[in-house]
Amino acid sequence: MTGRPKDSADAVALVRRYLELMERRALDEAQACLAPGAELIFPGGRRHSSPAAIAGGSAAKYRRVAKCIDGWDACPRTPQGWIIYAHGTLYGEWIDGTPFSNIRFVDRFEVEAEGIVRQDVWNDTGLARPATTGTVAPQSGFNDERLDLIFGVVWSLAGEAWRLEDRLDHFEALLVGQGTITKSAMSETTLSIEAKAEQTQRRREYIERLLASFTKS
């Protein structure tokens, strides 16, 4: 990677460059934005090991795909690390040439001094993608398209929940760190954050059990 991020502005610039390179399929340059062993996690828990693997997976779905970014969020994660969110909509063409647009997405990045260490992607492509032909439904009765739709909805909601948790954590750290409020006085807010995290975890566990039951033969 050329130029190690020194602050949140650098981290956003790195993520912006990475996304632009991925859109242009400049895969080697995109790889240079990643830290060694970076995790790249897409809807449905699909994990990719590199930009080339992401491009290979996309080739089966899209002729082309691009992002219209509506906004960025950044907050500290460690003394030399940041969490960066990009949110907006996707547009392009499905593999059959059908155009699409206005598909929501949220990308969450963990950025350290050595580059992007993790990317989590949520979007609603499962709601918008045209049904494919020749799919075979599992014995549960849920075919691939319905599962993809479920994954799309689940991951879009999970992305919003995760984003809220990060902002709450940053808010607490900011208040305590600046001496605006004492740690003891944060107890009620901390309990609220912890309750939110527990609720989110329960929802994730329920969703995982639900999806597992859908995919059983």
Side-chain angles (χ1 to χ4, degrees):
M1 186 191 72
T2 57
R4 296 175 181 272
K6 300 180 180 64
D7 53 31
S8 60
D10 284 349
V12 169
L14 175 64
V15 170
R16 188 192 299 272
R17 173 171 169 75
Y18 171 75
L19 292 177
E20 290 172 351
L21 291 169
M22 288 299 299
E23 188 171 320
R24 292 196 282 112
R25 291 298 185 256
L27 302 180
D28 289 342
E29 294 177 71
Q31 180 70 56
C33 296
L34 303 178
E39 296 182 274
L40 308 169
I41 305 171
F42 282 66
R46 299 179 180 92
R47 292 175 178 266
H48 296 291
S49 58
S50 67
I54 295 173
S58 296
K61 297 180 180 180
Y62 314 107
R63 284 190 179 181
R64 62 181 184 90
V65 60
K67 292 180 175 179
C68 178
I69 298 176
D70 295 332
W72 299 88
D73 286 321
C75 60
R77 178 170 175 262
T78 66
Q80 290 186 317
W82 303 269
I83 295 171
I84 307 297
Y85 283 94
H87 59 91
T89 55
L90 303 175
Y91 65 94
E93 292 182 3
W94 302 113
I95 193 66
D96 65 357
T98 304
F100 64 86
S101 61
N102 296 318
I103 296 177
R104 297 177 302 172
F105 81 87
V106 177
D107 282 4
R108 177 186 186 271
F109 294 87
E110 294 179 12
V111 180
E112 300 287 348
E114 66 268 29
I116 296 166
V117 299
R118 178 173 175 134
Q119 177 187 13
D120 288 271
V121 176
W122 297 276
N123 59 54
D124 290 334
T125 56
L127 295 171
R129 195 173 74 188
T132 58
T133 58
T135 57
V136 178
Q139 292 181 18
S140 64
F142 283 83
N143 62 27
D144 290 342
E145 293 305 322
R146 293 186 69 182
L147 283 173
D148 198 49
L149 182 149
I150 292 165
F151 277 129
V153 173
V154 167
W155 280 82
S156 179
L157 293 175
E160 291 298 328
W162 202 342
R163 189 177 173 195
L164 174 60
E165 287 178 33
D166 285 333
R167 300 303 292 178
L168 286 173
D169 288 344
H170 178 216
F171 174 69
E172 179 183 1
L174 183 67
L175 290 181
V176 174
Q178 291 186 346
T180 306
I181 191 169
T182 65
K183 186 67 177 178
S184 60
M186 281 296 297
S187 59
E188 184 175 346
T189 301
T190 301
L191 288 174
S192 176
I193 293 172
E194 290 175 349
K196 174 66 177 177
E198 290 176 4
Q199 181 185 51
T200 302
Q201 181 62 32
R202 288 197 300 272
R203 288 176 177 173
R204 287 174 182 163
E205 290 172 353
Y206 170 74
I207 288 165
E208 288 173 0
R209 292 196 301 271
L210 186 64
L211 292 173
S213 70
F214 290 156
T215 56
K216 283 180 180 177
S217 58

